[in-house]
Amino acid sequence: NAEYMGQLVNVFGIDGKKTKKSVKLADVFTAPIRTDVVVSVHSLMMLNTRQPYAVSRKAGHQTSAESWGTGRAVARIPRVRGGGTHRSGQAAFGNQCRGGRMFAPTETWRKWHHKIPVKQRRYALASAIAATAIPALVEARGHVISQMPELPMVISSEVEGLTKTKEAVALLKKLHAYEDVEKSIASKRLRGSKGKMRNRRWKMKRGPLVV
């Protein structure tokens, strides 16, 4: 990242054209790109979003079953008592039985969460931010930035005066960043897994990041 040291970037106006101003790129963009640190910190952070789960302690044991013992030419697994139903005489309790409990039933006291060293977390964040200033890496992620004049793009503070969505859309179009928004809109699709039932029905690509 040596080429970014002390680099000046142009400031664009809300008309989409360059102004005469330029600003120095923030030092965070000179951080080394460490994919290994980013991946390890991110995977640990994902583990920290999990909720504990376990099967019921009673599952598979909610029947009175006893082994028939030896001498009946059947396996010694416990069997359901009684008669007059298909269930009576069926094997119970074992993990190999239909309707039995699982092997080693899960408990909620598993080690779900992992501490992440603060310095590693900060290093990963700086590294991820620095990667957003390298067009090749941004394009490799699938973002449509081929028409944008510069990356990262700095816009003058007039942009804070925009109040309507259509004004923001017009600005993104002038800066050639709207192609990436359109790519995101077109990418909306149904999730493939059970998340459909759990308020995560749709998936969508990320678009431009406005800071």
Side-chain angles (χ1 to χ4, degrees):
N1 273 25
E3 68 270 24
Y4 289 98
M5 297 286 281
Q7 184 186 327
L8 293 175
V9 287
N10 294 304
V11 177
F12 288 78
I14 53 171
D15 55 355
K17 293 176 183 169
K18 280 183 196 174
T19 62
K20 291 178 181 176
K21 290 181 186 172
S22 59
V23 292
K24 182 177 173 290
L25 201 61
D27 289 339
V28 70
F29 289 105
T30 65
I33 308 293
R34 285 290 302 273
T35 319
D36 53 340
V37 176
V38 173
V39 167
S40 65
V41 168
H42 179 261
S43 56
L44 287 174
M45 286 173 75
M46 287 297 98
L47 289 179
N48 291 341
T49 63
R50 295 189 296 175
Q51 289 184 356
Y53 65 84
V55 293
S56 166
R57 288 195 161 199
K58 292 188 279 187
H61 278 274
Q62 300 189 88
T63 180
S64 67
E66 203 173 340
S67 170
W68 287 355
T70 56
R72 310 257 316 247
V74 291
R76 288 179 285 190
I77 191 84
R79 293 172 186 280
V80 178
R81 293 160 174 276
T85 171
H86 288 302
R87 186 68 177 126
S88 53
Q90 283 185 359
F93 299 161
N95 62 319
Q96 75 274 37
C97 302
R98 178 176 178 271
R101 51 137 175 80
M102 67 183 284
F103 165 73
T106 48
E107 294 281 0
T108 53
W109 39 259
R110 189 186 297 193
K111 187 176 189 296
W112 301 99
H113 302 103
H114 298 262
K115 286 183 178 175
I116 308 169
V118 171
K119 285 184 182 175
Q120 262 187 42
R121 193 190 287 252
R122 287 176 185 161
Y123 195 161
L125 182 61
S127 189
I129 292 170
T132 64
I134 301 174
L137 293 179
V138 176
E139 273 195 301
R141 281 285 299 139
H143 292 287
V144 185
I145 56 165
S146 53
Q147 301 300 314
M148 287 180 71
E150 222 172 272
L151 201 78
M153 184 170 269
V154 180
I155 304 165
S156 69
S157 6
E158 300 166 284
V159 75
E160 291 173 8
L162 301 183
T163 53
K164 297 191 77 67
T165 307
K166 64 181 176 185
E167 294 172 342
V169 168
L171 174 62
L172 287 170
K173 283 181 177 172
K174 285 172 192 168
L175 297 170
H176 299 288
Y178 198 70
E179 289 93 328
D180 200 38
V181 176
E182 286 174 330
K183 181 215 64 168
S184 294
I185 293 167
S187 72
K188 186 173 179 182
R189 59 208 185 279
L190 208 60
R191 185 178 294 273
S193 58
K194 278 237 165 95
K196 284 194 292 290
M197 309 172 191
R198 298 176 186 162
N199 296 326
R200 301 190 291 270
R201 196 164 184 78
W202 299 97
K203 282 170 71 173
M204 202 172 183
K205 292 278 187 192
R206 295 274 184 220
L209 174 65
V210 180
V211 181

